[in-house]
Amino acid sequence: MGYKISMVAGEPSGDLLASRVMQGLIARDAKLQFNGIGGPYMQASGLQLNYPMDALSVFGYIDALKQLPRLISIYHNFKKQTIAGRPDVFVGVDAPDFNLRLEEQLKKSGIPTVQFVSPSIWAWRYQRIEQIRRAVDHMLVLFPFEVELYEKEGIPVTYVGHPLAQQIPAEPDARAARLRLGLDPDKPVLAILPGSRKSEINALSKVFLETAQKLHQKYPDLQFIVPLVNEARKQQFMEISKGIELANLHLYSQAVSEQPISRDVMEACDAALLASGTASLEMALYKKPMVIAYILSPLMVKIMAWKSGQSAPLLPWIGLPNILLREFAVPEHLQEEVTPDKLMASCVRALEDREYIQEVQTKFQTLYTTLAVDTPRLAAEQIWRIASTK
């Protein structure tokens, strides 16, 4: 009988990250038992579900308030189940609002805790470091600069790289990806990624499509490709796009497979227009120029400022590629700056300016080399070490 490992991931990106680490652990011991909260990728890797990942899905603070009674119920029930089950280690994957609170209680009960993916305390709410200290036995971080932060605070930490980097080819084959997607391999391609959350798609889809209309006038052969995380988000996008005529538009909804459709989209494109988030890092790992955009409602801005005690992030960048490179390597358009004219100007540069494109690709190649370490093995080593020395 192998060790028992309990895990929680709350979003599609965390589900994929966790599944890779599970595979790294299974390579050590095929008898390991996994249970917890996760999605289709974790289930495919052997997770026994206590609750489906969708049970934790909320779309911003407003939705979180509406769903609070359900989330509290899941939290308390899962906490009781986990303490009663006495896993050899608990691994929280991202989802810090849920996982850190849970980890604090599990750690008090004597269950070792590992948090995989640090909350972005380097940008918002640095004071959470005190909760992390109480909750986490070991922090696994995705980015090199985070190590110094945790070492300074005396919290055990290991840099494990980003598992997505290992899944992305060092030399992407755009032509092959276009053929897989049924595109014309000889015509230019712009990827449009309006986000995975309902609120993001509502905020960005219309302005992204209006930008695409303007780009089509300048580049009649330009192909537009849009991956949506599931069929529900695809239907939402299609509803928003009604009345916005756009030639050469191709939509794809995500299916569980070894190669997510979004990866084909990223490999196929010449450049991308996308929402800030994990997708921007993936696009950088594919070494593609991009334009990052994000819109928050005025109420959301006030709530974030209230919750964090900050009126703005601690860093001048919001896009992960820019944060990691410590510069505006690619443009960021926020709030009222998200207009079709401004987005188009940035997209034109990303599609046309050969010197700029080469400069961005060189920077992203350096980033890729830094992050493309054996994340499943490195993360599994630390989780295994903690489980086996309980």
Side-chain angles (χ1 to χ4, degrees), residues 142-144 159-170 281 285 287 364-378:
L142 305 185
F143 307 125
Y159 168 63
V160 297
H162 204 297
L164 294 177
Q166 231 191 359
Q167 305 301 316
I168 291 171
L281 177 61
L285 295 171
K287 285 76 87 176
F364 287 168
Q365 180 58 55
T366 300
L367 187 59
Y368 176 89
T369 302
T370 301
L371 297 180
V373 297
D374 192 348
T375 300
R377 179 184 63 80
L378 293 171

Side-chain angles (χ1 to χ4, degrees), residues 29-247:
D29 183 356
K31 295 181 180 179
L32 285 173
Q33 299 176 66
F34 296 95
N35 78 281
I37 301 174
Y41 289 104
M42 292 171 74
Q43 283 184 268
S45 296
L47 183 77
Q48 295 296 312
L49 279 184
N50 293 72
Y51 294 94
M53 181 178 70
D54 290 348
L56 298 186
S57 295
V58 294
F59 307 103
Y61 293 124
I62 303 301
D63 193 39
L65 289 172
K66 292 178 181 177
Q67 302 295 335
L68 195 57
R70 179 177 59 84
L71 292 171
I72 290 173
S73 174
I74 292 170
Y75 167 79
H76 284 296
N77 288 337
F78 184 71
K79 180 184 71 173
K80 290 177 183 176
Q81 292 165 4
T82 305
I83 292 174
R86 305 305 300 177
D88 294 288
V89 63
F90 171 83
V91 182
V93 184
D94 211 352
D97 288 332
F98 186 91
N99 279 327
L100 289 177
R101 187 172 288 108
L102 176 63
E103 286 160 359
E104 191 168 352
Q105 297 304 310
L106 298 182
K107 187 176 177 181
K108 284 181 181 178
S109 74
I111 296 171
T113 60
V114 175
Q115 175 67 18
F116 179 40
V117 184
S118 167
S120 52
I121 57 174
W122 29 267
W124 294 96
R125 299 172 64 191
Y126 187 84
Q127 67 270 22
R128 296 179 88 177
I129 195 72
E130 297 305 326
Q131 182 186 25
I132 292 170
R133 197 190 313 279
R134 295 191 303 269
V136 177
D137 286 307
H138 202 98
M139 179 67 74
L140 303 178
V141 297
L142 305 185
F143 307 125
F145 73 88
E146 294 175 308
V147 172
E148 182 180 356
L149 184 156
Y150 282 102
E151 286 182 340
K152 181 184 71 174
E153 296 288 349
I155 296 171
V157 60
T158 300
Y159 168 63
V160 297
H162 204 297
L164 294 177
Q166 231 191 359
Q167 305 301 316
I168 291 171
E171 297 183 8
D173 187 339
R175 185 179 183 84
R178 291 177 188 188
L179 291 173
R180 290 196 297 273
L181 293 171
L183 302 172
D184 187 327
D186 299 315
K187 292 180 179 178
V189 177
L190 180 76
I192 297 175
L193 292 88
S196 62
R197 299 177 178 181
K198 185 177 180 181
S199 58
E200 292 171 334
I201 291 173
N202 277 337
L204 294 171
S205 295
K206 186 172 184 289
V207 69
F208 280 8
L209 286 166
E210 290 171 347
T211 302
Q213 283 182 311
K214 288 178 172 290
L215 287 165
H216 174 67
Q217 293 172 5
K218 183 175 178 64
Y219 309 107
D221 289 339
L222 184 59
Q223 301 172 95
F224 303 96
I225 52 178
V226 186
L228 286 311
V229 71
N230 55 37
E231 192 62 28
R233 297 288 77 79
K234 181 180 177 181
Q235 291 302 318
Q236 179 191 357
F237 184 88
M238 289 173 66
E239 187 66 28
I240 293 170
S241 68
K242 283 182 179 177
I244 302 177
E245 294 186 10
L246 179 62

Side-chain angles (χ1 to χ4, degrees), residues 12-28:
S13 59
D15 178 40
L16 186 57
L17 294 177
S19 71
R20 304 300 186 199
V21 174
M22 289 172 67
Q23 291 162 19
L25 285 160
I26 290 167
R28 284 178 163 267

